[in-house]
Amino acid sequence: TPNKSVKLDFGLDFSMQGSMSPNLSSVDPFHYAYYANPYEAPYNPDGSYRADETWYNLGLINGSSVIPVYDRGYNVMRELDQTSNETVNNATTARAGIDIKIFKSLKFVGLASYSFGSNRTEKINLKDTYAAWENQLDYDKMYKNSCYGSIIQNSYNKNAYMLRGHLEFNESFSDAHQLQVIAGSEIRAEDSKTLYSKRLNYDANTNTTSMPQPPSGASQLESWLREVEQLSGEFYSKSRYASFYASADYFILNRYIINGSFRMDGSSYFGSAKQFNPTWSAGAAWHVAEEPFMNWSRNVLDRLTLRVATGYTGNINNGVSPQLVMSYWDQQYRRHGDETLPMATFSGAPNPNLTWEKAQDYKISLDFGMFGDRLSGIVEGYMRHSTDVVVSSKIPSTTGYTYQKFNSADILNKGIEFTLNGKILDIRDFRMNASFNLSYNINKVLKYDSPDKLTASTRYWEGYPTDALFIGKLDGLNHEGLYQYKLRPDASISDVKDYQVADNYRYYLGTTAAPFTGGFNLSISWKGLSLSCFGALSWGSKTFEQLAPPGSWSTVYKIGAKAEVPQTYFSDLYSNHFNVTRDRTDRWTPENTDARYPRIYDAFATTEQFSQRNPTDPNIIKGAYVKDNSYLRIKNIILSYSFPEKLTKKMKMSSLKVNLSLNNFFTITNYDGLDPETPGAVYPVSRSVMFGLNLGF
């Protein structure tokens, strides 16, 4: 504070994080453990690594024409022992602010910041690992069946700056009125660059590398050189933003508040004609309990506030570019005179008309407190109408592309949230508090304009949620032992081929987003003893438990062999070579027709031609994998005791507390997978017991 009118602020933040782990990008260890057969052994009797007989070797064992992995096979313990992934992150931000008082009611506020961040990774794969096999040149993998070590290094650097300045006006008019106004602008910029390199024939003892021997054939040498060119390179990006903003708040008698704001945001992401997007918002609040006509409720009602708001917001979908982007990743060249020119490919169809996604929000809420705030809560209703949502849509292949992204969908989200807090008991040394919240949210596609009306998006259906499941409705097993799907009432069946038409089976079976979510918290204390319980609930969502094993009929590739694609992987002979759930033994046979799972068959041996009489469309047969993952989970139960002060003083201590915590011990659900909160073959939320002791001196 150099004087009464000026305040300066400076700050510097620095953080560094390092991590070290095996390089298991190819195979997740939990995914491996989920499917690994229990009769597999990680080591041979002499202590050497033993190859898994099914993982990556399924095709080789069953007469495949293609060798999927080198002769040492796959061993997860070798991957853990002989690969590494070291990462170091650094982030630094410097900022400076200034506050200048121009007049009594007017001041200028400025802020400038600069950020620098870096990320460096180094992945090492020793020569006997599957990770090394994956990272060698395709030529060596295909023709030599050899393997050598590799080291992969990436360096990412990001620079960003921000400048902001605005004027603030704050003035009170008598005791009843107050006006606050802010107006200013902001600019932001961000540049990033990534350098990557992969070096082969890595020797851990000498920390050296060398290039493998190139092939002698001209055509093979050309392919080899293209691969070598891709071993190193760089990516970079730049973005610029500019914003202009203003807001005003008007207070009347501290009972009425009116707010309005306006923004104009611009981005270098779009063309010059579409860079800026205007947005605005308006809101009001009414402290009803402060009104004179509410004096009768003073002994009961502590506060009652009604709030309403509406406004527009904008969003940039970074998953698509309005520009024509060329990629030089697949290094190919063309000779032109004495020059060698690189050839590029287009990464996707550009859309110069791409613009901001826009949304208008409406909100209304009621906030209340009663009986000295012993009972309080808030009820809020909201609605968001999003327009110009970017959707990937099929387009005629005559354009040179099969998909393009457009501002082509309108989506409505609406819901209500309810929160209630209560101090149930407060008698001498005994206290009981509880809180509960519940929300209901639904969304619906109001409009979807597909550029090609002959094709439809499988995610966006007008009148239904964005996460709608339009799939086949499972109807038991048929007389052939395959899954039977219910025909629609309007299905047209005039020929055996009509049983293959997906639209004859398509039903709306719910959504993958839970409409109802909530939670609760209960705490009880008596003197130094306290007990708390926290839980969460989710209801109404469906999930695809499509846990496809790592091997299937498609990995047992045989040149010239005809295959009848299994209806689901439950019927695939080769998928069932892996570890499966115990109930999979309840399978259809001519003697066991009332089974849970369908018949099993060899795709290369059957002549039944099942696919001609039964639906096999992937979007229909998904009905066999749908499960309800609604749940109520008690996340934490914590019991603690603080010893009396008289006792701690005798022990020459200021405090002594012990606690016991049970985490994720109880879950109520019909879901039969590992974890309804994170469905699939992923590491589930684990149960844990924790004991704590806190000492103070």
Side-chain angles (χ1 to χ4, degrees), residues 477-495:
L477 301 174
N478 62 18
H479 67 281
E480 293 185 301
L482 298 184
Y483 280 129
Q484 183 170 272
Y485 295 87
K486 189 174 181 180
L487 287 167
R488 289 176 53 88
D490 57 352
S492 176
I493 305 296
S494 58
D495 187 271

mmCIF file of all heavy atoms in Angstrom, residues 477-495:
data_model
loop_
_atom_site.group_PDB
_atom_site.id
_atom_site.type_symbol
_atom_site.label_atom_id
_atom_site.label_comp_id
_atom_site.label_asym_id
_atom_site.label_seq_id
_atom_site.Cartn_x
_atom_site.Cartn_y
_atom_site.Cartn_z
ATOM 1 N N LEU A 477 -34.501 -67.092 -24.486
ATOM 2 C CA LEU A 477 -33.783 -67.862 -25.493
ATOM 3 C C LEU A 477 -34.786 -68.557 -26.410
ATOM 4 O O LEU A 477 -35.837 -69.018 -25.966
ATOM 5 C CB LEU A 477 -32.875 -68.902 -24.832
ATOM 6 C CG LEU A 477 -31.801 -68.373 -23.879
ATOM 7 C CD1 LEU A 477 -31.083 -69.529 -23.209
ATOM 8 C CD2 LEU A 477 -30.814 -67.486 -24.617
ATOM 9 N N ASN A 478 -34.440 -68.626 -27.697
ATOM 10 C CA ASN A 478 -35.337 -69.292 -28.634
ATOM 11 C C ASN A 478 -35.024 -70.789 -28.715
ATOM 12 O O ASN A 478 -34.162 -71.307 -27.987
ATOM 13 C CB ASN A 478 -35.275 -68.631 -30.008
ATOM 14 C CG ASN A 478 -33.888 -68.713 -30.633
ATOM 15 O OD1 ASN A 478 -33.053 -69.520 -30.227
ATOM 16 N ND2 ASN A 478 -33.633 -67.882 -31.622
ATOM 17 N N HIS A 479 -35.709 -71.482 -29.614
ATOM 18 C CA HIS A 479 -35.562 -72.941 -29.699
ATOM 19 C C HIS A 479 -34.191 -73.371 -30.213
ATOM 20 O O HIS A 479 -33.814 -74.536 -30.083
ATOM 21 C CB HIS A 479 -36.652 -73.519 -30.622
ATOM 22 C CG HIS A 479 -36.487 -73.119 -32.059
ATOM 23 N ND1 HIS A 479 -36.875 -71.872 -32.534
ATOM 24 C CD2 HIS A 479 -35.968 -73.795 -33.128
ATOM 25 C CE1 HIS A 479 -36.601 -71.797 -33.825
ATOM 26 N NE2 HIS A 479 -36.059 -72.948 -34.211
ATOM 27 N N GLU A 480 -33.417 -72.406 -30.787
ATOM 28 C CA GLU A 480 -32.072 -72.727 -31.255
ATOM 29 C C GLU A 480 -31.009 -72.450 -30.197
ATOM 30 O O GLU A 480 -29.827 -72.702 -30.414
ATOM 31 C CB GLU A 480 -31.740 -71.922 -32.511
ATOM 32 C CG GLU A 480 -32.574 -72.306 -33.716
ATOM 33 C CD GLU A 480 -32.125 -71.564 -34.956
ATOM 34 O OE1 GLU A 480 -32.146 -70.315 -34.939
ATOM 35 O OE2 GLU A 480 -31.741 -72.221 -35.935
ATOM 36 N N GLY A 481 -31.446 -71.907 -29.059
ATOM 37 C CA GLY A 481 -30.503 -71.619 -27.990
ATOM 38 C C GLY A 481 -29.819 -70.275 -28.113
ATOM 39 O O GLY A 481 -28.800 -70.036 -27.472
ATOM 40 N N LEU A 482 -30.357 -69.362 -28.941
ATOM 41 C CA LEU A 482 -29.805 -68.017 -29.078
ATOM 42 C C LEU A 482 -30.735 -67.012 -28.414
ATOM 43 O O LEU A 482 -31.904 -67.294 -28.148
ATOM 44 C CB LEU A 482 -29.627 -67.668 -30.557
ATOM 45 C CG LEU A 482 -28.652 -68.537 -31.358
ATOM 46 C CD1 LEU A 482 -28.523 -68.007 -32.770
ATOM 47 C CD2 LEU A 482 -27.289 -68.590 -30.684
ATOM 48 N N TYR A 483 -30.181 -65.819 -28.165
ATOM 49 C CA TYR A 483 -30.996 -64.770 -27.570
ATOM 50 C C TYR A 483 -32.125 -64.392 -28.522
ATOM 51 O O TYR A 483 -31.924 -64.211 -29.725
ATOM 52 C CB TYR A 483 -30.151 -63.540 -27.256
ATOM 53 C CG TYR A 483 -29.362 -63.664 -25.977
ATOM 54 C CD1 TYR A 483 -27.995 -63.396 -25.941
ATOM 55 C CD2 TYR A 483 -29.978 -64.036 -24.783
ATOM 56 C CE1 TYR A 483 -27.265 -63.498 -24.766
ATOM 57 C CE2 TYR A 483 -29.261 -64.142 -23.599
ATOM 58 C CZ TYR A 483 -27.908 -63.878 -23.596
ATOM 59 O OH TYR A 483 -27.206 -63.985 -22.429
ATOM 60 N N GLN A 484 -33.298 -64.252 -27.933
ATOM 61 C CA GLN A 484 -34.475 -63.853 -28.696
ATOM 62 C C GLN A 484 -34.841 -62.434 -28.294
ATOM 63 O O GLN A 484 -34.862 -62.105 -27.103
ATOM 64 C CB GLN A 484 -35.630 -64.808 -28.388
ATOM 65 C CG GLN A 484 -36.890 -64.564 -29.167
ATOM 66 C CD GLN A 484 -37.873 -65.710 -28.967
ATOM 67 O OE1 GLN A 484 -37.843 -66.699 -29.682
ATOM 68 N NE2 GLN A 484 -38.732 -65.572 -27.966
ATOM 69 N N TYR A 485 -35.095 -61.588 -29.274
ATOM 70 C CA TYR A 485 -35.433 -60.194 -29.019
ATOM 71 C C TYR A 485 -36.872 -59.933 -29.459
ATOM 72 O O TYR A 485 -37.324 -60.442 -30.497
ATOM 73 C CB TYR A 485 -34.464 -59.266 -29.750
ATOM 74 C CG TYR A 485 -33.048 -59.378 -29.235
ATOM 75 C CD1 TYR A 485 -32.173 -60.331 -29.750
ATOM 76 C CD2 TYR A 485 -32.602 -58.562 -28.214
ATOM 77 C CE1 TYR A 485 -30.885 -60.452 -29.265
ATOM 78 C CE2 TYR A 485 -31.305 -58.677 -27.724
ATOM 79 C CZ TYR A 485 -30.455 -59.622 -28.248
ATOM 80 O OH TYR A 485 -29.178 -59.739 -27.758
ATOM 81 N N LYS A 486 -37.552 -59.133 -28.671
ATOM 82 C CA LYS A 486 -38.972 -58.884 -28.919
ATOM 83 C C LYS A 486 -39.164 -58.026 -30.156
ATOM 84 O O LYS A 486 -38.526 -56.987 -30.310
ATOM 85 C CB LYS A 486 -39.593 -58.187 -27.705
ATOM 86 C CG LYS A 486 -41.099 -58.067 -27.766
ATOM 87 C CD LYS A 486 -41.645 -57.500 -26.468
ATOM 88 C CE LYS A 486 -43.161 -57.393 -26.507
ATOM 89 N NZ LYS A 486 -43.698 -56.853 -25.244
ATOM 90 N N LEU A 487 -40.054 -58.478 -31.038
ATOM 91 C CA LEU A 487 -40.375 -57.695 -32.234
ATOM 92 C C LEU A 487 -41.251 -56.510 -31.865
ATOM 93 O O LEU A 487 -42.104 -56.602 -30.975
ATOM 94 C CB LEU A 487 -41.092 -58.572 -33.263
ATOM 95 C CG LEU A 487 -40.241 -59.600 -34.009
ATOM 96 C CD1 LEU A 487 -41.132 -60.594 -34.737
ATOM 97 C CD2 LEU A 487 -39.304 -58.913 -34.991
ATOM 98 N N ARG A 488 -41.062 -55.423 -32.544
ATOM 99 C CA ARG A 488 -41.902 -54.245 -32.338
ATOM 100 C C ARG A 488 -43.317 -54.532 -32.858
ATOM 101 O O ARG A 488 -43.509 -55.334 -33.788
ATOM 102 C CB ARG A 488 -41.327 -53.039 -33.078
ATOM 103 C CG ARG A 488 -40.049 -52.487 -32.452
ATOM 104 C CD ARG A 488 -39.484 -51.360 -33.305
ATOM 105 N NE ARG A 488 -40.492 -50.340 -33.568
ATOM 106 C CZ ARG A 488 -40.742 -49.298 -32.776
ATOM 107 N NH1 ARG A 488 -40.044 -49.171 -31.657
ATOM 108 N NH2 ARG A 488 -41.648 -48.407 -33.088
ATOM 109 N N PRO A 489 -44.313 -53.861 -32.283
ATOM 110 C CA PRO A 489 -45.681 -54.063 -32.776
ATOM 111 C C PRO A 489 -45.843 -53.682 -34.246
ATOM 112 O O PRO A 489 -46.690 -54.249 -34.942
ATOM 113 C CB PRO A 489 -46.521 -53.147 -31.870
ATOM 114 C CG PRO A 489 -45.698 -52.974 -30.633
ATOM 115 C CD PRO A 489 -44.280 -53.006 -31.088
ATOM 116 N N ASP A 490 -45.037 -52.732 -34.719
ATOM 117 C CA ASP A 490 -45.152 -52.303 -36.116
ATOM 118 C C ASP A 490 -44.135 -52.998 -37.019
ATOM 119 O O ASP A 490 -43.896 -52.563 -38.150
ATOM 120 C CB ASP A 490 -44.979 -50.793 -36.222
ATOM 121 C CG ASP A 490 -43.643 -50.324 -35.635
ATOM 122 O OD1 ASP A 490 -42.937 -51.148 -35.022
ATOM 123 O OD2 ASP A 490 -43.317 -49.129 -35.786
ATOM 124 N N ALA A 491 -43.500 -54.083 -36.522
ATOM 125 C CA ALA A 491 -42.510 -54.799 -37.329
ATOM 126 C C ALA A 491 -43.170 -55.437 -38.544
ATOM 127 O O ALA A 491 -44.282 -55.962 -38.471
ATOM 128 C CB ALA A 491 -41.819 -55.867 -36.486
ATOM 129 N N SER A 492 -42.466 -55.366 -39.651
ATOM 130 C CA SER A 492 -42.957 -55.948 -40.895
ATOM 131 C C SER A 492 -42.095 -57.162 -41.239
ATOM 132 O O SER A 492 -40.930 -57.021 -41.600
ATOM 133 C CB SER A 492 -42.909 -54.905 -42.026
ATOM 134 O OG SER A 492 -43.297 -55.474 -43.262
ATOM 135 N N ILE A 493 -42.683 -58.351 -41.125
ATOM 136 C CA ILE A 493 -41.966 -59.601 -41.398
ATOM 137 C C ILE A 493 -42.641 -60.297 -42.572
ATOM 138 O O ILE A 493 -43.755 -60.837 -42.452
ATOM 139 C CB ILE A 493 -41.959 -60.531 -40.171
ATOM 140 C CG1 ILE A 493 -41.385 -59.804 -38.949
ATOM 141 C CG2 ILE A 493 -41.167 -61.790 -40.472
ATOM 142 C CD1 ILE A 493 -39.948 -59.408 -39.068
ATOM 143 N N SER A 494 -42.028 -60.238 -43.724
ATOM 144 C CA SER A 494 -42.569 -60.913 -44.907
ATOM 145 C C SER A 494 -41.584 -61.912 -45.488
ATOM 146 O O SER A 494 -41.939 -62.686 -46.375
ATOM 147 C CB SER A 494 -42.936 -59.881 -45.982
ATOM 148 O OG SER A 494 -41.797 -59.112 -46.346
ATOM 149 N N ASP A 495 -40.357 -61.892 -44.968
ATOM 150 C CA ASP A 495 -39.322 -62.773 -45.487
ATOM 151 C C ASP A 495 -38.366 -63.075 -44.340
ATOM 152 O O ASP A 495 -38.268 -62.320 -43.363
ATOM 153 C CB ASP A 495 -38.578 -62.096 -46.650
ATOM 154 C CG ASP A 495 -37.600 -63.047 -47.323
ATOM 155 O OD1 ASP A 495 -36.439 -63.100 -46.882
ATOM 156 O OD2 ASP A 495 -38.015 -63.739 -48.271
#
